[in-house]
Amino acid sequence: TDGACSGNGQADAVAAYAYVGVCRDKEPIVKTGLVLPATNGRAELNAVVAFLESANRLNNDFVIHTDSQYIYDAINNHKVREWKANGWKRTHKRDVVSADLWQRYINEIVRLYKIGCTVKVEKVAGHSGNKYNEMADSAAKDAVKAAKLDHAE
């Protein structure tokens, strides 16, 4: 999974996500989408959520590879559970960024668990030659470029 954003933090920012689905000996499937509000963090998290929402195989084990340390830590260090338990508040009662996406993440994890699936999130180094991470990175960047061209016309 990966996300990309041009103009991160600006009013005219454009962001997109991409994920690469790999299933045994089949060709990888690449999916992309635009993200609003447009931030890099939301694009990264949207990639994970969009993949989970597309997953529908019974009794499967899914492994998500992300180059986002934030996403990896939030999931594997159980921060998402803490945030939910605290009413989507972080330390010092600050709102959790992208709480709407984290809620969708939880909903999908629960849905998949109910049909016998497991989901594991692993960290990969970005831009380090990981074939599928590079594919997702390229697809997300291409989607941003295409959206910017469409908007310019």
Side-chain angles (χ1 to χ4, degrees), residues 66-122:
T66 181
D67 61 10
S68 168
Q69 190 69 47
Y70 168 69
I71 290 172
Y72 176 82
D73 287 343
I75 294 168
N76 290 308
N77 294 333
H78 308 290
K79 292 294 183 188
V80 179
R81 288 182 192 171
E82 290 176 25
W83 296 336
K84 182 181 179 192
N86 291 332
W88 298 104
K89 298 288 183 188
R90 294 178 15 192
T91 310
H92 307 296
K93 303 293 181 195
R94 293 182 301 169
D95 290 339
V96 170
V97 176
S98 301
D100 59 320
L101 294 176
W102 285 115
Q103 290 170 12
R104 283 173 52 197
Y105 167 81
I106 288 173
N107 291 342
E108 289 306 309
I109 293 295
V110 169
R111 179 184 67 82
L112 290 168
Y113 178 77
K114 286 180 179 178
I115 62 172
C117 298
T118 63
V119 178
K120 185 164 88 169
V121 176
E122 295 181 352

Side-chain angles (χ1 to χ4, degrees), residues 3-152:
C5 185
S6 175
N8 195 39
Q10 299 174 14
D12 62 344
V14 177
Y17 69 83
Y19 68 82
V20 178
V22 181
C23 184
R24 294 180 185 79
D25 57 351
K26 296 181 181 177
E27 286 295 312
I29 298 170
V30 180
K31 298 285 185 181
T32 63
L34 296 179
V35 177
L36 291 172
T39 68
N40 192 68
R42 285 186 68 83
E44 294 273 359
L45 185 51
N46 256 286
V48 173
V49 172
F51 170 75
L52 292 173
E53 288 174 345
S54 75
N56 59 9
R57 294 180 182 266
L58 299 177
N59 302 311
N60 250 345
D61 298 322
F62 295 103
V63 180
I64 296 173
H65 294 111
T66 181
D67 61 10
S68 168
Q69 190 69 47
Y70 168 69
I71 290 172
Y72 176 82
D73 287 343
I75 294 168
N76 290 308
N77 294 333
H78 308 290
K79 292 294 183 188
V80 179
R81 288 182 192 171
E82 290 176 25
W83 296 336
K84 182 181 179 192
N86 291 332
W88 298 104
K89 298 288 183 188
R90 294 178 15 192
T91 310
H92 307 296
K93 303 293 181 195
R94 293 182 301 169
D95 290 339
V96 170
V97 176
S98 301
D100 59 320
L101 294 176
W102 285 115
Q103 290 170 12
R104 283 173 52 197
Y105 167 81
I106 288 173
N107 291 342
E108 289 306 309
I109 293 295
V110 169
R111 179 184 67 82
L112 290 168
Y113 178 77
K114 286 180 179 178
I115 62 172
C117 298
T118 63
V119 178
K120 185 164 88 169
V121 176
E122 295 181 352
K123 175 79 170 76
V124 296
H127 313 289
S128 64
N130 178 293
K131 177 180 177 179
Y132 300 116
N133 183 256
E134 297 293 338
M135 287 174 70
D137 179 69
S138 180
K141 287 177 180 174
D142 288 349
V144 167
K145 287 177 192 170
K148 287 177 72 174
L149 285 174
D150 287 347
H151 184 70

